[in-house]
Amino acid sequence: MEKDIDRILIPHEALAARIREMAGEIATAYNSAEAQITIVTILSGAVIFLADLIRQMPMKMKIGLITVSSYAGATTASRGAKLMKDLNVDVRDRDVLIVDDIFDTGGTLRLVQGLLRERQPRSLKTAVLLRKPAKNPPDVKVDFVGFDIEDHFVVGYGLDYNDHYRNFPDIAVLKPEVYA
Ligand code: IMP
Ligand code: MG
């Protein structure tokens, strides 16, 4: 795995520090005593972010999982998002927080936000660890962002290339020959 990494973009210490801050921002946005929070985690990329984020959020919550596939192994332009497995919890009248790894072309979040809105949550917000502003469309909104990054394909900390490198602890860029 190490030999395929070109450079580290965000080391794990910086991820941990920012995620602690984000958890504070999210807790402040909700009235913790009143909130009926349901986290909707977009699999598989968001799992490591989710695990670290929610352990810094001292509030009662339910955790739901939804599987959306977008890249299907490619590194460039999204081929559109497709629902692979629907959510396993009810979101009606709940304060729903979508948690995803990265906001790029917005196809994934457009799909999930639309699907959840139809189910009448009490509120709907979105948190992403990374955002690539270069391709973000104007119609998709996110409420909490960990880091803005340049338009590079990145792996690690849950993000994959061909389903590999999710367990790499830092956000990293692969060597060009790996994609060849
Ligand atoms: P979008 O639908 O184009 O916004 O992309 C969102 C999804 O594509 C994310 O949930 C990721 O799974 C995947 N994705 C986008 N950019 C990257 C990247 O740089 N590395 C790994 N996965 C990515
Ligand atoms: Mg994803």
Side-chain angles (χ1 to χ4, degrees):
M1 189 164 66
E2 292 278 351
K3 70 172 180 22
D4 296 341
I5 304 294
D6 187 34
R7 65 196 165 90
I8 306 292
L9 206 64
I10 311 174
H12 58 90
E13 298 88 347
L15 292 168
R18 178 66 189 122
I19 289 166
R20 203 172 308 123
E21 277 176 15
M22 280 184 91
E25 290 166 16
I26 293 169
T28 306
Y30 291 102
N31 178 349
S32 318
E34 292 265 309
Q36 300 281 321
I37 291 193
T38 297
I39 306 261
V40 171
T41 316
I42 306 183
L43 295 179
S44 303
V47 289
I48 296 180
F49 175 42
L50 174 88
D52 285 346
L53 181 73
I54 60 176
R55 285 180 295 169
Q56 309 275 346
M57 290 170 60
M59 54 175 85
K60 216 169 162 183
M61 62 174 70
K62 293 185 182 179
I63 297 165
L65 307 170
I66 190 168
T67 308
V68 176
S69 140
S70 56
Y71 275 76
T75 61
T76 45
S78 174
R79 294 170 176 166
K82 188 163 170 252
L83 179 67
M84 305 299 283
K85 194 169 194 298
D86 203 346
L87 193 61
N88 57 340
V89 294
D90 190 9
V91 296
R92 178 183 286 269
D93 296 328
R94 302 278 306 176
D95 294 301
V96 173
L97 177 68
I98 299 171
V99 173
D100 202 6
D101 51 1
I102 186 165
F103 174 28
D104 185 16
T105 67
T108 303
L109 287 172
R110 185 183 293 113
L111 176 81
V112 175
Q113 289 176 349
L115 225 122
L116 294 176
R117 251 183 232 115
E118 282 173 15
R119 299 176 189 178
Q120 301 171 344
R122 184 162 95 165
S123 67
L124 183 61
K125 293 186 191 294
T126 300
V128 293
L129 178 63
L130 306 175
R131 175 169 65 183
K132 291 181 190 169
K135 292 206 223 102
N136 295 167
D139 66 309
V140 179
K141 303 276 181 261
V142 298
D143 304 275
F144 308 100
V145 177
F147 298 87
D148 277 321
I149 61 168
E150 280 175 44
D151 193 10
H152 295 301
F153 194 84
V154 294
V155 298
Y157 201 77
L159 291 105
D160 72 302
Y161 172 62
N162 270 345
D163 263 318
H164 286 130
Y165 311 105
R166 291 193 198 276
N167 57 322
F168 192 72
D170 313 299
I171 297 287
V173 178
L174 293 175
K175 289 179 181 158
E177 59 264 32
V178 178
Y179 303 113

